[in-house]
Structures are given as structure tokens and as C-alpha cells.
Amino acid sequence: MLRSTLYSLAVAALLLGGCNRDKTEAGTQGMNAAADEAATDAKANPTIDNPNVASDTEAPNPNAPVLTFAEKQFDFGDIQPDSKVQHVFKFTNTGKTPLLIADATASCGCTTPSWTKNAVAPGATGEMEVQFDSHGKQGLISKQVSVRANTQPSITTIYIKGNVLTK
């Protein structure tokens, strides 16, 4: 990562030098100075390798709520044509502060999520019901529901799949 940062800075220095009206080159000393500055900045602001954080710039919050699903995928198996099937995904807030689901969106209009609207206290449970309408569908299906909450990362994805039989 440090190499790519240094390379990016060197390229930026060359590009900025190309826009200079005086047409002066950055030269080896200028590029080395930029590299030294980047190395100093990297030492002053080290990145933290945390899989629960969505980006390098987002600071981890040890008190954040944690959305823990009992299962992240459900297989309906064979689904009758022109029918609606549903499954309830149960979850627990395994974090230290109340969990609030802001939104849940499905990958297509045939899948409809509904969820616990109230804040879920630490240690408490909630539900995410996912309904699939097989009308107009046929064969293997795989759908996802993205759950946006006050967690880190803010998006958790659950999946449904099945096989819609032919008429």
C-alpha cells in the first residue's frame, strides 16, 4: 500500500509539473521530497486492519451495534409457479449499543423484505422477513437483500435461493 501511495504521489507530481506555466521539472529531489512526505504521513496515520470497518478512513467504534444473523442464506428448494414463499431470518444485536435498521432493499422487485422497526437492545433479537413472489419466474433463482443499519460496516447482506418449477 505504501508503494502504491508513493507511486501515486510521483505521478501526481509529474502531472502537476506538466501544468506549471514555467515548465520546470520536479526532478529527482522534488520526487524524493514528496515520497519522504508521504512516508512521514503514513507513519503519523497508520491504517488499522479491521474487517468490520468499511474503509481505511472510517474509525472503528468498539461500542457499535453488531447485526448477527442466525443464518445468512436460505434455500426454499422447489417453489411452485405463481406462488409466494417467505422466510424469517432471525438476528441478534451482539454489540454494545442499540441496533436500528434504517432500510432493507432487495435485488429485484419480486423480493420484499420487512423487518423489526424498533431499536434492538444489546443481546436482544429481531426478525427480517423476506418474501419471494415467483409469478413470471422460472428455474433457479438467487436474490439478495441488503440491510442498512447503524453498524460497522453499515451494510449486511442476506440471501435467498430456490428453484421455481415450470407450470
Side-chain angles (χ1 to χ4, degrees):
M1 183 164 149
L2 182 59
R3 273 190 189 173
S4 65
T5 302
L6 292 175
Y7 178 76
S8 297
L9 286 171
V11 169
L14 286 174
L15 291 174
L16 288 175
C19 293
N20 189 348
R21 293 185 191 270
D22 297 335
K23 302 290 182 195
T24 58
E25 298 289 327
T28 307
Q29 289 178 339
M31 288 177 58
N32 287 340
D36 290 341
E37 184 179 320
T40 302
D41 187 46
K43 288 178 186 173
N45 298 312
T47 57
I48 299 170
D49 187 22
N50 183 345
N52 295 321
V53 177
S55 71
D56 288 343
T57 58
E58 185 177 346
N61 178 359
N63 296 320
V66 178
L67 178 60
T68 305
F69 280 96
E71 58 183 340
K72 285 194 161 192
Q73 181 174 317
F74 181 77
D75 187 350
F76 285 109
D78 289 339
I79 303 169
Q80 294 300 316
D82 299 328
S83 66
K84 292 182 181 179
V85 293
Q86 62 188 17
H87 178 71
V88 176
F89 289 88
K90 296 190 183 288
F91 63 85
T92 304
N93 177 3
T94 57
K96 297 179 180 176
T97 55
L99 168 70
L100 187 59
I101 295 176
D103 192 19
T105 54
S107 57
C108 97
C110 60
T111 305
T112 310
S114 61
W115 61 91
T116 302
K117 304 291 186 203
N118 298 328
V120 178
T125 60
E127 296 181 345
M128 173 71 59
E129 180 181 300
V130 178
Q131 180 175 303
F132 171 73
D133 185 352
S134 69
H135 182 77
K137 306 291 183 199
Q138 181 175 318
L140 296 175
I141 59 104
S142 178
K143 307 296 177 186
Q144 68 182 31
V145 175
S146 297
V147 182
R148 188 169 52 92
N150 61 336
T151 57
Q152 287 183 335
S154 61
I155 304 288
T156 303
T157 306
I158 55 177
Y159 304 89
I160 59 168
K161 64 182 185 175
N163 179 33
V164 180
L165 301 172
T166 57
K167 291 182 183 182

